[in-house]
Amino acid sequence: MKKKVSDSMEAVYPGSFDPITYGHIDIIERSAEIFEKIIVLVTYNVRKNYSFSFKERTEMAIDSLKDFKNVEVVSHDGLLVDFLKQNSIKVVIRGLRVISDFEHELQMAHANKALYNNMETFFLMTDNEYSYISSSMVKEIVQFGGDVASWVPEEVAVKLKELYKSN
Ligand code: ADP
């Protein structure tokens, strides 16, 4: 019989969270009802151009998720599969919004599986309400003076305003 994917039913939700939005938080809330514990992994990729620093992205996630009992925020600079192996976690959560997400996510899921065959990627479909929300769109709207109160937590909206005020 094939080995089961997880004993502890912990799962990792990795992402840039640049910044965290209600779309991310919805995926976290729903997966926290399925898994015993969710580790929100704030990642760093040297090829990516982030708007917020690694520290700021992590702090915003910690602040926005402080009310969830079984959610922990961790930052990680390295390969996702290394984090999984080091922490004996075999489940990765990702969110899907549109077809273009699927192409990228499929490639990533296959690459991760090739690097670590014991892991599995679980996909959650975005809630209708959040399907059009992305970190980049939120930043664009704030840049042009728009209101994103219904897209990101208040403390994130404040950080966004500060970011574009100083630029
Ligand atoms: P990455 O740079 O790793 O893609 P993101 O922070 O952009 O990091 O996204 C992390 C994950 O959250 C991805 O799987 C992405 O598809 C998903 N996601 C982002 N926004 C939403 C949303 N509004 N609804 C559902 N899933 C989302």
Side-chain angles (χ1 to χ4, degrees):
M1 204 172 81
K2 212 171 168 241
K3 219 168 154 260
K4 60 179 174 164
V5 170
S6 178
D7 288 320
S8 63
M9 291 308 276
E10 282 186 2
V12 169
Y13 179 43
S16 302
F17 306 110
D18 187 34
I20 191 161
T21 68
Y22 282 137
H24 295 125
I25 295 171
D26 174 61
I27 295 288
I28 294 163
E29 188 171 5
R30 285 157 59 204
S31 43
E33 282 171 19
I34 300 167
F35 294 93
E36 275 171 23
K37 184 177 172 185
I38 301 296
I39 296 175
V40 175
L41 198 70
V42 182
T43 56
Y44 180 81
N45 180 339
V46 82
R47 286 181 305 147
K48 281 196 177 174
N49 233 334
Y50 300 103
S51 304
F52 290 101
S53 72
F54 197 17
K55 188 166 171 269
E56 285 174 315
R57 290 186 285 120
T58 308
E59 282 171 356
M60 281 186 279
I62 292 174
D63 213 22
S64 309
L65 299 166
K66 57 182 183 296
D67 293 336
F68 290 94
K69 299 256 174 308
N70 59 337
V71 174
E72 189 187 347
V73 178
V74 174
S75 49
H76 177 68
D77 175 5
L79 275 183
L80 171 63
V81 292
D82 287 340
F83 181 86
L84 299 177
K85 287 177 192 170
Q86 282 153 15
N87 294 279
S88 307
I89 301 172
K90 294 173 180 170
V91 179
V92 167
I93 308 279
R94 295 288 285 179
L96 290 174
R97 287 160 296 187
V98 285
I99 298 284
S100 53
D101 274 351
F102 178 77
E103 281 182 40
H104 170 68
E105 294 293 342
L106 182 69
Q107 211 175 12
M108 294 258 299
H110 281 156
N112 284 329
K113 187 99 177 130
L115 292 169
Y116 183 33
N117 190 40
N118 274 347
M119 59 87 66
E120 294 293 348
T121 306
F122 279 58
F123 292 101
L124 266 78
M125 296 298 161
T126 184
D127 188 285
N128 243 347
E129 197 184 337
Y130 305 113
S131 61
Y132 53 90
I133 302 181
S134 70
S135 302
S136 357
M137 192 174 285
V138 163
K139 285 183 279 194
E140 225 170 282
I141 291 171
V142 175
Q143 215 165 349
F144 292 108
D147 178 21
V148 290
S150 55
W151 296 18
V152 295
E154 205 182 323
E155 53 274 19
V156 175
V158 170
K159 294 282 285 177
L160 279 161
K161 272 191 200 147
E162 280 171 15
L163 179 77
Y164 292 110
K165 215 190 306 168
S166 54
N167 277 351

